[in-house]
Amino acid sequence: MPAPDQPIRFHQHPLSGHCHRVALFLNLLDLPYDTVEVDLLKGEQKTEPFLALNPFAQVPVIEDGSVVLPDSNAILVYLAKRYDTEGWLPEAPEAAARVQRWLSVAAGQLVNGPAIARVSNVFGRKVDLDQCAAIANRLFTLMESELTGREWLAGDRPTLADVALYSYTAHAPEGGISLEPYPNIRAWLGRIEALPGFIPMPRTAVGLQAAVSG
């Protein structure tokens, strides 16, 4: 597998699921990287040095030599195209499209459902929790069905689809969204967690209480 000439600089916040999916993939690919933590609560993402990296004032961002790239899904695609030799992003048109379908879900329903519910509980942001729960449960019902009789979301091996959906699904209980009704999803999470190179996303106090509470 090719390696970067120097460690990738990874600008992130440890409690961001968008950042975790990038950290997870970096570790699954066994790529060297240096972490630069961005203090979101102090507004560091809105300072001029960070805005020079991402004018949208969002983490994550990577710097890989002369390449500066924001957006978690874009970063996943870049890393797969640049460094992967195992098929995390298939070349065949139909297989690639199946992965892209789930990347769109990760940027849509996953954010609007479990991710925003988690932001409310963990960071105290006011949102419509009932709407978030409805979106999350529709999504998880679909994922539960898709995972019936199969191990991975988009093929017969793990792909970027699984990486992109993992973090906010695994931490949905931090937003008050139970995973108990979804045994296929819970088994899928376990398979991802068993992959060589897997790293967990830190749980918040809310997340630890949710885990204790089942």
Side-chain angles (χ1 to χ4, degrees):
M1 178 182 296
D5 295 331
Q6 56 190 3
I8 294 169
R9 285 175 60 82
F10 173 42
H11 302 260
Q12 63 102 36
H13 187 279
L15 296 182
S16 163
H18 287 77
C19 293
H20 178 258
R21 69 178 60 147
V22 172
L24 174 58
F25 196 44
L26 285 166
N27 280 272
L28 292 173
L29 293 180
D30 195 25
L31 291 174
Y33 66 95
D34 294 327
T35 297
V36 181
E37 291 201 7
V38 180
D39 193 333
L40 303 181
L41 296 180
K42 291 184 178 180
E44 191 174 347
Q45 73 278 19
K46 298 178 181 178
T47 62
E48 287 189 13
F50 188 84
L51 291 173
L53 300 174
N54 183 9
F56 286 105
Q58 296 172 330
V59 289
V61 176
I62 65 165
E63 295 179 80
D64 184 17
S66 62
V67 175
V68 178
L69 189 64
D71 185 89
S72 59
N73 286 347
I75 293 169
L76 294 183
V77 170
Y78 169 81
L79 293 174
K81 288 289 189 181
R82 178 70 180 85
Y83 296 112
D84 173 43
T85 60
E86 299 178 10
W88 288 93
L89 181 59
E91 290 294 332
E94 183 179 352
R98 285 198 296 267
V99 171
Q100 178 57 59
R101 172 200 181 202
W102 288 108
L103 295 183
S104 296
V105 170
Q109 295 96 318
L110 188 72
V111 170
N112 294 327
I116 291 181
R118 177 177 172 271
V119 165
S120 174
N121 277 6
V122 172
F123 298 105
R125 186 182 302 174
K126 291 185 178 180
V127 303
D128 187 337
L129 283 174
D130 289 339
Q131 182 181 42
C132 290
I135 293 171
N137 285 305
R138 284 198 299 271
L139 170 59
F140 291 160
T141 298
L142 172 63
M143 290 173 63
E144 181 75 9
S145 176
E146 293 271 333
L147 288 165
T148 299
R150 62 191 303 175
E151 294 189 344
W152 310 104
L153 285 172
D156 58 4
R157 58 145 289 144
T159 67
L160 292 188
D162 304 289
V163 176
L165 271 290
Y166 172 81
S167 305
Y168 285 124
T169 300
H171 286 254
E174 293 184 356
I177 311 297
S178 175
L179 296 176
E180 285 302 311
Y182 308 108
N184 290 340
I185 289 179
R186 289 185 279 111
W188 166 75
L189 293 173
R191 286 189 288 273
I192 295 173
E193 291 159 6
L195 291 172
F198 171 83
I199 57 166
M201 183 165 78
R203 291 192 179 275
T204 64
V206 171
L208 292 172
Q209 181 60 42
V212 169
S213 302

